[in-house]
Amino acid sequence: IYGVLALTPARARPRTGSYVQVTEVEYRLLLSEAAVGAGVVHVQQIDGGMDPHDLRIRDGSSGRLLALPLLNPGQMHDAVVYMRSGVYHLWCSVPGHWKLGMHAILRVAAR
């Protein structure tokens, strides 16, 4: 992850780049896509659960970390990031949530 290019309010699906929606519920992360194209990636974080959740994204090869905010139930957050091809680990860092299953893998493929 090479940094947030822009943080924007939740909007409709963007027209350029790749897109993945991450819905956080007790105690899972549901990804709209298992794989996206490298480059600009629009990440929409949605707390669809009954508890607050945040989202962490770590680049499996470089170890770089992106921390998205803690959301309350029903809130959304959009982030625009640049991702190189590779495997990315996503999880909720609220204490105990990883152990309960709130983690997933996102694959980013070269275009």
Side-chain angles (χ1 to χ4, degrees):
I1 298 173
Y2 292 90
V4 174
L5 299 175
L7 294 178
T8 59
R11 288 189 169 69
R13 184 176 175 147
R15 296 182 191 191
T16 60
S18 295
Y19 172 84
V20 63
Q21 185 179 73
V22 182
T23 303
E24 301 168 297
V25 296
E26 287 75 30
Y27 290 99
R28 300 175 287 161
L29 294 183
L30 306 170
L31 305 182
S32 63
E33 305 288 339
V36 296
V40 174
V41 178
H42 301 262
V43 178
Q44 185 176 63
Q45 172 193 9
I46 299 173
D47 186 337
M50 297 179 359
D51 296 330
H53 299 293
D54 64 15
L55 183 63
R56 301 295 183 259
I57 304 173
R58 182 178 304 279
D59 180 335
S61 61
S62 73
R64 291 180 190 230
L65 176 70
L66 175 64
L68 297 183
L70 182 70
L71 299 181
N72 289 314
Q75 288 186 313
M76 286 193 233
H77 178 80
D78 282 353
V80 180
V81 298
Y82 183 84
M83 294 180 161
R84 289 190 177 177
S85 59
V87 175
Y88 291 76
H89 304 273
L90 289 72
W91 72 95
C92 175
S93 73
V94 171
H97 287 197
W98 171 276
K99 284 175 122 177
L100 293 169
M102 288 196 76
H103 48 88
I105 298 290
L106 176 67
R107 298 188 190 298
V108 178
R111 292 185 186 246

